[in-house]
């Protein structure tokens, strides 16, 4: 249990430190509000171009697997950071390995996941930490109908951090 938790936390922290924007999915919410729209995975009003299965994902519930299968069939992008889930609803299943072999799915090592996600970014927004900055910068961005909301925080109490924001926004 500790290994799974620590591995997941390291992945999330590494993505955040690399200034990668992401949301963490909840299987229950995806089962109730998930759908496929074109080649995007929708959860309520949010739409995603890429879905990441973190390392050590051993089990998915059936509605999540159904959603991922449908997403893969329409050309959605799945990045798998480890072995495909071998179980569905706790029972051994070949559905995860079959999904991992589909053209929609790519194996990506956790240490290069941030780069793989940056390669897929379609907008011109980015936050870049200045080389040599020792602080720990995190950001959270929400795209709204009338603009973007950006929250920046340096979590270091000892070191400052600086960087740049690249955006097509006018102000």
């Amino acid at each position: 249990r500790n290994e799974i938790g620590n591995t997941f936390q390291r992945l999330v922290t590494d993505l955040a430190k690399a200034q990668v924007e992401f949301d963490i999915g909840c299987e229950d919410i995806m089962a109730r509000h998930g759908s496929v729209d074109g080649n995007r995975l929708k959860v309520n009003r949010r739409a995603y171009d890429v879905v990441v299965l973190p390392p050590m994902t051993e089990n998915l519930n059936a509605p999540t697997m159904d959603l991922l299968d449908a997403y893969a069939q329409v050309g959605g992008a799945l990045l798998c950071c480890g072995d495909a889930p071998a179980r569905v609803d706790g029972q051994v299943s070949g559905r995860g390995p079959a999904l991992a072999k589909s053209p929609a799915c790519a194996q990506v090592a956790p240490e290069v996941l941030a780069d793989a996600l940056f390669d897929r970014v379609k907008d011109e927004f980015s936050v870049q930490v200045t080389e040599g900055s020792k602080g720990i910068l995190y950001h959270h961005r929400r795209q709204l109908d009338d603009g973007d909301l950006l929250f920046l925080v340096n979590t270091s109490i000892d070191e400052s951090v600086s960087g740049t924001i690249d955006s097509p926004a006018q102000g």
Side-chain angles (χ1 to χ4, degrees), residues 20-35:
V20 173
E21 296 182 45
F22 63 91
D23 291 321
I24 297 173
C26 168
E27 287 190 274
D28 180 57
I29 290 172
M30 289 171 62
R32 289 186 284 126
H33 303 286
S35 63

Side-chain angles (χ1 to χ4, degrees), residues 102-150:
S102 79
C105 192
Q107 278 297 125
V108 177
E111 44 286 346
V112 297
L113 178 61
D115 291 334
L117 291 170
F118 277 129
D119 289 345
R120 297 171 179 273
V121 172
K122 294 180 181 165
D123 69 4
E124 299 174 29
F125 177 88
S126 69
V127 176
Q128 299 163 359
V129 176
T130 302
E131 191 172 329
S133 284
K134 296 184 180 180
I136 303 168
L137 179 68
Y138 293 110
H139 85 276
H140 185 79
R141 174 184 174 214
R142 279 291 177 237
Q143 294 174 281
L144 308 171
D145 291 338
D146 60 347
D148 289 2
L149 180 63
L150 180 63

Side-chain angles (χ1 to χ4, degrees), residues 11-171:
L11 180 75
V12 168
T13 300
D14 288 349
L15 289 175
K17 283 184 178 179
Q19 307 309 316
V20 173
E21 296 182 45
F22 63 91
D23 291 321
I24 297 173
C26 168
E27 287 190 274
D28 180 57
I29 290 172
M30 289 171 62
R32 289 186 284 126
H33 303 286
S35 63
V36 175
D37 184 12
N39 64 347
R40 301 179 90 192
L41 180 80
K42 285 190 72 178
V43 181
N44 201 2
R45 294 183 303 183
R46 300 278 297 166
Y48 301 93
D49 296 315
V50 181
V51 173
V52 175
L53 290 176
M56 306 178 93
T57 302
E58 299 171 349
N59 182 70
L60 293 174
N61 65 29
T64 300
M65 185 58 78
D66 294 344
L67 192 58
L68 293 180
D69 282 338
Y71 178 62
Q73 288 175 6
V74 296
L78 292 162
L79 300 179
C80 191
C81 293
D83 293 334
R87 296 176 179 272
V88 175
D89 287 340
Q91 301 297 315
V92 174
S93 170
R95 292 182 69 190
L99 181 64
K101 291 177 185 172
S102 79
C105 192
Q107 278 297 125
V108 177
E111 44 286 346
V112 297
L113 178 61
D115 291 334
L117 291 170
F118 277 129
D119 289 345
R120 297 171 179 273
V121 172
K122 294 180 181 165
D123 69 4
E124 299 174 29
F125 177 88
S126 69
V127 176
Q128 299 163 359
V129 176
T130 302
E131 191 172 329
S133 284
K134 296 184 180 180
I136 303 168
L137 179 68
Y138 293 110
H139 85 276
H140 185 79
R141 174 184 174 214
R142 279 291 177 237
Q143 294 174 281
L144 308 171
D145 291 338
D146 60 347
D148 289 2
L149 180 63
L150 180 63
F151 176 72
L152 299 161
V153 63
N154 175 12
T155 62
S156 173
I157 60 172
D158 299 320
E159 301 288 344
S160 64
V161 66
S162 64
T164 58
I165 299 168
D166 292 325
S167 173
Q170 299 295 312

